[in-house]
Amino acid sequence: MKLKDKIFRYVIFTDIIITTVILIITSLILFNFFTYFKTEEIYLNNGNFKNYLSANISEIDNFMNMIANTNDVVFLFDKNKLISKYASESLKKELMKEISKKKIISEIEIINNNGESIHLGEKNKFKIGETLFIYKNSNINIIILKKLDSYENKKLIVVLKLSKIFENYLKNNNRMDINLITYIGDNIFVTKNNKTKTIKKEELKKYFKVENSKFNIKKLKNISFYITESKDIIYKHIFNFIVIFIILLIIIIFLLYLLSNKISKNTTNSIINMIKSVEAYDSTNFVPIEIKNNYEDEIKLLTLKFNNMGKDLSKYIHNLEEIVSERTKKLELQKKELKILNNKLKKNSITDELTGLNNRRYFDDRFIDDFKMSSREGFYLHFSIIDIDHFKNINDTYGHLAGDFCLKKLGKILKENLSRANDKVFRYGGEEFVFYYFSKEKENFLKILEKLRQNVENEDFIYENEEIQFTISIGGASMIPNLECCNTYNKYMKMADDALYKSKETGRNRVTMVL
């Protein structure tokens, strides 16, 4: 029997998978619907509360216009104290009556430009600015202000309880699980259950925010609102939804497990037997897998192919170690050759081809570190610049090849005379050379340089049967580098270079030192 025929018997398995997929898709649709519903609900609440708040503000505005136009306000500031007192008492009764009738009003005052109350005797001081509000006793009180037309420096204000307005809105709409977020300047407040508290900007993450849901009331400058729900409540609904989904998923997985266990027992016996035979494969002693009659056709074909492959591999496997060993030897040889080439390349990159001395590039890399070390450790740095006198005349008289000959010979003399382990000699460029070393104690550097100068002066240079004589001028510096004399290596080299220039000026073939 073919494997596909046996699998066909268990098509029910596919039905379970389809059921699971349908469950997941349905859950996603319900979740999206829930999110959409919450978003629309918040949009609706913001719109309704905006209208409700605007209606309250308009009502208060009309009331303020009525109060501002009464005779009591006109007579309040009359010069006749008797008339003023009578108007004050009358106005106070009217205002207190209005406060007791409108629960959303906490205070009604007449103030001057400094925000000081000049009526009703409360002695409050109101901060008058673009945003008018008072936050006290866990409540936001919004100040509505109206100038009294007859008195430029007098204003009528009404202080509204925002939390009371919001509470009335919740009762009217039978909703007690939503919050009011209020932005006043840089301050953020949240109102819930008739209580208001200040929060920081990062605490807004606790509340569900819908884009473009924030709104303003024209009468209230620099104050914005939006109604939202706490994420804890939303998360609770989502959590319950997830719990139901997980329970259903666990049930389906358990059913799938039972069904899969039955399917695997009936369809994989032949595959398991073949895997055991493959795991027992030995490259040194390959034994073909036995093909049984109860194997499926595909497994029989796979086993036959594996047996043929095993036989082919056995023909070549015994030579594998020998091939690997031979290639390893070649690789090691190539590594050694590459190392030699790398070392040669490195040496060539830091060596002057003509003189065999270290070149300018190596000097630039090395001297900076040596200079810092000498300054750090307090070592004496004995540094000199050596220059061939009248080298141009040698090139002009004997030719450039003769000049190269002289450079080679000088390089050889430098190697022979400056051969201590601490001596460092470089061809700096053209006919210039650099020599330096360190010492813990002060040494007679001048003596070493003078001996080198004499050896060059006394040397006979024979080039193509012609005797060429030349001398060298040297400028040197010998001291401990520090901030007082030479805080950078460039300044130290400049000191030696100036000394060399002085040797040239005073007749050449001499040593000038800076100590």
Side-chain angles (χ1 to χ4, degrees):
M1 179 184 293
K2 292 185 177 181
L3 187 60
K4 65 178 182 180
D5 296 331
K6 186 174 288 189
I7 294 175
F8 179 76
R9 295 180 181 180
Y10 304 99
V11 129
I12 187 66
F13 177 74
T14 305
D15 294 337
I16 295 176
I17 295 296
I18 293 173
T19 303
T20 305
V21 171
I22 292 173
L23 179 62
I24 294 172
I25 293 174
T26 304
S27 300
L28 291 174
I29 292 173
L30 291 175
F31 180 78
N32 288 332
F33 177 77
F34 173 77
T35 305
Y36 173 79
F37 173 76
K38 280 295 176 186
T39 302
E40 290 301 312
E41 185 181 39
I42 288 175
Y43 270 126
L44 181 62
N45 274 312
N46 276 281
N48 290 341
F49 183 68
K50 180 180 180 180
N51 295 333
Y52 184 79
L53 182 58
S54 297
N56 278 271
I57 298 296
S58 296
E59 183 180 349
I60 294 300
D61 197 40
N62 293 334
F63 166 71
M64 293 176 73
N65 288 332
M66 181 191 71
I67 293 297
N69 294 323
T70 61
N71 291 331
D72 290 333
V73 172
V74 175
F75 292 136
L76 178 66
F77 302 105
D78 195 281
K79 293 180 179 180
N80 188 314
K81 292 183 178 181
L82 185 62
I83 296 175
S84 175
K85 182 178 179 181
Y86 176 79
S88 175
E89 293 296 329
S90 176
L91 182 61
K92 187 171 184 177
K93 289 180 181 180
E94 181 67 24
L95 296 182
M96 294 304 294
K97 178 181 178 182
E98 192 65 29
I99 289 175
S100 62
K101 184 173 68 171
K102 297 183 183 298
K103 301 297 184 181
I104 64 173
I105 298 177
S106 63
E107 294 182 56
I108 303 175
E109 297 282 349
I110 295 176
I111 63 172
N112 59 21
N113 282 339
N114 295 325
E116 297 174 344
S117 176
I118 59 175
H119 183 57
L120 301 183
E122 296 294 337
K123 293 185 180 180
N124 289 326
K125 184 160 184 176
F126 296 91
K127 183 179 179 183
I128 304 301
E130 290 187 357
T131 301
L132 305 176
F133 75 101
I134 302 172
Y135 176 66
K136 63 180 182 179
N137 300 327
S138 299
N139 283 293
I140 299 176
N141 297 281
I142 299 174
I143 300 172
I144 307 297
L145 181 147
K146 178 176 180 58
K147 292 182 180 180
L148 298 177
D149 295 335
S150 301
Y151 307 95
E152 293 183 356
N153 62 341
K154 307 295 189 299
K155 300 176 180 67
L156 173 66
I157 67 167
V158 174
V159 182
L160 299 180
K161 300 176 184 178
L162 181 62
S163 56
K164 188 64 179 177
I165 296 174
F166 185 58
E167 180 186 7
N168 292 342
Y169 172 78
L170 295 179
K171 289 180 179 178
N172 292 341
N173 290 272
N174 195 25
R175 289 292 304 270
M176 302 302 294
D177 57 342
I178 57 178
N179 308 283
L180 174 64
I181 306 295
T182 307
Y183 294 85
I184 305 179
D186 296 329
N187 301 290
I188 305 175
F189 303 89
V190 60
T191 304
K192 184 179 181 181
N193 298 330
N194 202 24
K195 290 185 179 180
T196 301
K197 64 178 181 178
T198 60
I199 62 173
K200 296 180 180 179
K201 189 173 182 180
E202 51 267 25
E203 293 182 67
L204 289 173
K205 296 178 181 178
K206 298 179 181 178
Y207 301 93
F208 188 69
K209 176 68 182 295
V210 178
E211 293 298 326
N212 302 320
S213 60
K214 190 191 295 186
F215 64 89
N216 304 84
I217 302 298
K218 186 177 180 180
K219 190 72 176 178
L220 305 179
K221 294 182 178 180
N222 294 334
I223 305 181
S224 302
F225 309 90
Y226 78 84
I227 289 178
T228 184
E229 287 190 36
S230 171
K231 286 185 178 179
D232 291 339
I233 297 175
I234 295 175
Y235 288 158
K236 183 178 180 180
H237 293 309
I238 295 175
F239 176 76
N240 294 335
F241 176 81
I242 291 174
V243 168
I244 295 172
F245 174 79
I246 290 174
I247 292 173
L248 291 174
L249 194 60
I250 290 173
I251 293 172
I252 292 174
I253 290 173
F254 178 71
L255 294 175
L256 288 173
Y257 170 78
L258 296 177
L259 187 60
S260 298
N261 189 46
K262 182 175 179 61
I263 292 172
S264 62
K265 286 182 179 179
N266 287 278
T267 59
T268 60
N269 285 333
S270 56
I271 296 176
I272 291 173
N273 290 334
M274 182 183 174
I275 289 173
K276 289 180 179 179
S277 300
V278 171
E279 288 175 344
Y281 171 75
D282 185 357
S283 60
T284 58
N285 184 23
F286 175 69
V287 177
I289 299 173
E290 180 184 0
I291 301 176
K292 297 181 180 179
N293 292 329
N294 62 343
Y295 281 3
E296 292 81 5
D297 294 346
E298 291 85 355
I299 300 301
K300 289 179 181 179
L301 180 60
L302 181 60
T303 305
L304 179 63
K305 292 291 184 181
F306 178 80
N307 287 340
N308 292 335
M309 181 185 68
K311 292 175 183 177
D312 292 337
L313 286 175
S314 296
K315 294 179 182 179
Y316 303 103
I317 199 69
H318 66 280
N319 294 324
L320 183 59
E321 291 184 3
E322 184 177 341
I323 294 171
V324 171
S325 177
E326 182 180 349
R327 291 189 177 180
T328 302
K329 289 178 181 179
K330 288 182 180 179
L331 183 60
E332 291 296 329
L333 181 60
Q334 289 173 350
K335 285 183 179 179
K336 289 180 181 178
E337 292 175 351
L338 182 60
K339 186 176 181 180
I340 293 171
L341 288 174
N342 285 336
N343 290 337
K344 186 176 180 181
L345 180 62
K346 183 178 180 181
K347 184 177 180 182
N348 289 339
S349 68
I350 64 173
T351 303
D352 178 61
E353 186 177 359
L354 184 63
T355 62
L357 298 174
N358 290 325
N359 60 15
R360 169 71 177 273
R361 178 190 295 174
Y362 187 56
F363 169 78
D364 290 339
D365 291 339
R366 185 67 184 272
F367 183 63
I368 297 174
D369 294 335
D370 287 345
F371 179 85
K372 291 179 180 178
M373 186 273 293
S374 178
S375 177
R376 185 177 61 252
E377 300 296 335
F379 290 169
Y380 282 89
L381 175 58
H382 310 286
F383 182 86
S384 63
I385 301 177
I386 304 164
D387 187 82
I388 299 176
D389 296 327
H390 300 298
F391 183 70
K392 184 177 184 301
N393 292 340
I394 295 175
N395 284 332
D396 293 343
T397 303
Y398 302 101
H400 287 284
L401 293 178
D404 291 347
F405 170 78
C406 292
L407 290 172
K408 289 181 182 178
K409 286 295 183 180
L410 179 58
K412 183 178 179 182
I413 292 172
L414 292 174
K415 286 181 182 179
E416 292 173 351
N417 285 266
L418 309 172
S419 58
R420 298 175 301 175
N422 194 26
D423 292 341
K424 297 177 176 61
V425 185
F426 307 84
R427 184 185 177 192
Y428 194 68
E431 66 272 22
E432 282 190 341
F433 297 81
V434 170
F435 159 58
Y436 70 86
Y437 71 94
F438 311 104
S439 67
K440 291 185 178 180
E441 306 295 336
K442 188 171 181 64
E443 294 186 0
N444 192 346
F445 189 41
L446 176 61
K447 182 179 179 181
I448 295 173
L449 297 179
E450 184 61 33
K451 180 181 177 183
L452 173 64
R453 185 197 64 78
Q454 291 175 3
N455 288 343
V456 174
E457 183 182 21
N458 297 329
E459 182 74 22
D460 293 328
F461 300 98
I462 307 299
Y463 176 71
E464 294 186 354
N465 299 322
E466 286 195 61
E467 182 178 349
I468 303 174
Q469 288 189 328
F470 65 86
T471 59
I472 59 174
S473 295
I474 304 174
S478 178
M479 59 185 71
I480 299 173
N482 55 56
L483 295 175
E484 295 179 1
C485 74
C486 43
N487 58 350
T488 66
Y489 72 94
N490 286 325
K491 290 184 179 180
Y492 199 82
M493 290 178 63
K494 181 71 167 51
M495 293 169 62
D497 194 52
D498 290 343
L500 173 62
Y501 182 74
K502 189 172 183 180
S503 293
K504 295 286 188 179
E505 272 191 331
T506 54
R508 293 182 169 81
N509 192 24
R510 63 188 65 236
V511 179
T512 302
M513 287 289 299
V514 178
L515 300 174

mmCIF file of all heavy atoms in Angstrom, residues 286 303-313:
data_model
loop_
_atom_site.group_PDB
_atom_site.id
_atom_site.type_symbol
_atom_site.label_atom_id
_atom_site.label_comp_id
_atom_site.label_asym_id
_atom_site.label_seq_id
_atom_site.Cartn_x
_atom_site.Cartn_y
_atom_site.Cartn_z
ATOM 1 N N PHE A 286 29.912 -1.254 5.582
ATOM 2 C CA PHE A 286 28.537 -0.968 5.198
ATOM 3 C C PHE A 286 27.745 -2.253 4.959
ATOM 4 O O PHE A 286 28.174 -3.145 4.226
ATOM 5 C CB PHE A 286 28.516 -0.096 3.937
ATOM 6 C CG PHE A 286 27.126 0.146 3.419
ATOM 7 C CD1 PHE A 286 26.235 0.944 4.124
ATOM 8 C CD2 PHE A 286 26.707 -0.446 2.229
ATOM 9 C CE1 PHE A 286 24.961 1.169 3.654
ATOM 10 C CE2 PHE A 286 25.429 -0.220 1.747
ATOM 11 C CZ PHE A 286 24.553 0.590 2.466
ATOM 12 N N THR A 303 14.798 3.205 0.462
ATOM 13 C CA THR A 303 15.779 2.258 1.011
ATOM 14 C C THR A 303 16.723 1.764 -0.075
ATOM 15 O O THR A 303 17.941 1.648 0.133
ATOM 16 C CB THR A 303 15.053 1.072 1.660
ATOM 17 O OG1 THR A 303 14.130 1.546 2.641
ATOM 18 C CG2 THR A 303 16.035 0.129 2.324
ATOM 19 N N LEU A 304 16.177 1.453 -1.258
ATOM 20 C CA LEU A 304 17.007 0.998 -2.370
ATOM 21 C C LEU A 304 18.032 2.069 -2.769
ATOM 22 O O LEU A 304 19.209 1.777 -2.991
ATOM 23 C CB LEU A 304 16.103 0.643 -3.561
ATOM 24 C CG LEU A 304 16.820 0.156 -4.831
ATOM 25 C CD1 LEU A 304 17.578 -1.152 -4.558
ATOM 26 C CD2 LEU A 304 15.813 -0.048 -5.971
ATOM 27 N N LYS A 305 17.578 3.327 -2.837
ATOM 28 C CA LYS A 305 18.488 4.427 -3.192
ATOM 29 C C LYS A 305 19.583 4.591 -2.146
ATOM 30 O O LYS A 305 20.746 4.844 -2.465
ATOM 31 C CB LYS A 305 17.700 5.739 -3.318
ATOM 32 C CG LYS A 305 16.729 5.786 -4.500
ATOM 33 C CD LYS A 305 17.482 5.846 -5.815
ATOM 34 C CE LYS A 305 16.514 5.998 -6.983
ATOM 35 N NZ LYS A 305 17.240 6.028 -8.282
ATOM 36 N N PHE A 306 19.188 4.451 -0.851
ATOM 37 C CA PHE A 306 20.178 4.584 0.217
ATOM 38 C C PHE A 306 21.222 3.472 0.137
ATOM 39 O O PHE A 306 22.422 3.715 0.324
ATOM 40 C CB PHE A 306 19.468 4.550 1.574
ATOM 41 C CG PHE A 306 20.416 4.639 2.743
ATOM 42 C CD1 PHE A 306 20.938 5.857 3.153
ATOM 43 C CD2 PHE A 306 20.803 3.483 3.416
ATOM 44 C CE1 PHE A 306 21.820 5.929 4.216
ATOM 45 C CE2 PHE A 306 21.685 3.548 4.481
ATOM 46 C CZ PHE A 306 22.200 4.774 4.886
ATOM 47 N N ASN A 307 20.787 2.248 -0.135
ATOM 48 C CA ASN A 307 21.729 1.135 -0.256
ATOM 49 C C ASN A 307 22.729 1.387 -1.377
ATOM 50 O O ASN A 307 23.935 1.145 -1.227
ATOM 51 C CB ASN A 307 20.974 -0.170 -0.498
ATOM 52 C CG ASN A 307 20.261 -0.647 0.760
ATOM 53 O OD1 ASN A 307 20.596 -0.248 1.873
ATOM 54 N ND2 ASN A 307 19.244 -1.493 0.592
ATOM 55 N N ASN A 308 22.249 1.889 -2.526
ATOM 56 C CA ASN A 308 23.148 2.175 -3.650
ATOM 57 C C ASN A 308 24.136 3.282 -3.292
ATOM 58 O O ASN A 308 25.323 3.217 -3.646
ATOM 59 C CB ASN A 308 22.338 2.579 -4.879
ATOM 60 C CG ASN A 308 21.513 1.425 -5.430
ATOM 61 O OD1 ASN A 308 21.855 0.242 -5.225
ATOM 62 N ND2 ASN A 308 20.419 1.733 -6.117
ATOM 63 N N MET A 309 23.643 4.295 -2.586
ATOM 64 C CA MET A 309 24.520 5.397 -2.180
ATOM 65 C C MET A 309 25.579 4.917 -1.199
ATOM 66 O O MET A 309 26.748 5.311 -1.275
ATOM 67 C CB MET A 309 23.682 6.507 -1.539
ATOM 68 C CG MET A 309 24.491 7.729 -1.097
ATOM 69 S SD MET A 309 23.480 8.946 -0.230
ATOM 70 C CE MET A 309 23.120 8.016 1.272
ATOM 71 N N GLY A 310 25.181 4.057 -0.266
ATOM 72 C CA GLY A 310 26.132 3.532 0.710
ATOM 73 C C GLY A 310 27.237 2.726 0.056
ATOM 74 O O GLY A 310 28.401 2.818 0.457
ATOM 75 N N LYS A 311 26.868 1.956 -0.954
ATOM 76 C CA LYS A 311 27.886 1.178 -1.667
ATOM 77 C C LYS A 311 28.877 2.087 -2.391
ATOM 78 O O LYS A 311 30.089 1.835 -2.388
ATOM 79 C CB LYS A 311 27.205 0.244 -2.669
ATOM 80 C CG LYS A 311 26.396 -0.868 -2.021
ATOM 81 C CD LYS A 311 25.647 -1.693 -3.074
ATOM 82 C CE LYS A 311 24.782 -2.756 -2.420
ATOM 83 N NZ LYS A 311 24.001 -3.527 -3.424
ATOM 84 N N ASP A 312 28.348 3.144 -3.010
ATOM 85 C CA ASP A 312 29.246 4.086 -3.721
ATOM 86 C C ASP A 312 30.172 4.808 -2.760
ATOM 87 O O ASP A 312 31.366 4.995 -3.034
ATOM 88 C CB ASP A 312 28.411 5.117 -4.497
ATOM 89 C CG ASP A 312 27.662 4.480 -5.664
ATOM 90 O OD1 ASP A 312 28.101 3.412 -6.135
ATOM 91 O OD2 ASP A 312 26.635 5.055 -6.090
ATOM 92 N N LEU A 313 29.641 5.205 -1.599
ATOM 93 C CA LEU A 313 30.474 5.908 -0.616
ATOM 94 C C LEU A 313 31.567 5.009 -0.053
ATOM 95 O O LEU A 313 32.682 5.463 0.218
ATOM 96 C CB LEU A 313 29.605 6.426 0.533
ATOM 97 C CG LEU A 313 28.714 7.640 0.228
ATOM 98 C CD1 LEU A 313 27.831 7.962 1.428
ATOM 99 C CD2 LEU A 313 29.571 8.853 -0.124
#
